[in-house]
Amino acid sequence: QVQLVESGGGLMQAGDSLRLSCAASGSTFEIHRMGWFRQAPGKEREFVATITWSAGKTDYADSEKGRFTISRDNAKNTMYLVMNTLKHEDTAVYYCAAAKSDYYFHTPAEVNAYDFWGQGTQVTVSS
């Protein structure tokens, strides 16, 4: 079992930058990839970015590519998301996720591709 804890959220102003962190513990050797998702009030959870744990291969949602950066520190068992030029529309609860493997019926952008989830961290961007 893997436990995930997000941190770094807060109240920001439009144009600010912010770094979120996700610390993994437990059976971290099981992690094949990790990802970030976000969920705004009244909306479904949506994909933000993902990274493979060993090679560090990244993929981003088309809408955020170039503005957000995902990374990981294997020695610290920690994943990061750097968000630049924050917009009011970025306001959401941001969730960390981890997957044991890539599944045949799911892409890494799908919620069901992941096995473990954190509790979320709130990011609020004033307009």
Side-chain angles (χ1 to χ4, degrees), residues 46-78:
E46 68 172 349
F47 170 72
V48 176
T50 187
I51 187 168
T52 61
W53 207 240
S54 58
K57 184 179 183 299
T58 60
D59 288 289
Y60 297 88
D62 290 341
S63 60
E64 313 305 337
K65 189 175 180 63
R67 193 164 63 93
F68 291 1
T69 302
I70 189 171
S71 63
R72 86 279 189 261
D73 186 332
N74 289 239
K76 296 181 179 179
N77 291 317
T78 302

Side-chain angles (χ1 to χ4, degrees), residues 78-91:
T78 302
M79 176 180 65
Y80 306 96
L81 181 70
V82 174
M83 300 183 289
N84 294 317
T85 318
L86 284 167
K87 306 173 181 178
H88 177 65
E89 304 87 78
D90 295 321
T91 296

Side-chain angles (χ1 to χ4, degrees), residues 20-61:
L20 304 182
S21 299
C22 173
S25 61
S27 301
T28 56
F29 57 86
E30 295 183 333
I31 298 175
H32 167 65
R33 72 163 57 246
M34 296 183 70
W36 288 100
F37 289 74
R38 66 185 182 184
Q39 188 166 23
K43 296 186 177 181
E44 294 187 351
R45 193 166 300 189
E46 68 172 349
F47 170 72
V48 176
T50 187
I51 187 168
T52 61
W53 207 240
S54 58
K57 184 179 183 299
T58 60
D59 288 289
Y60 297 88

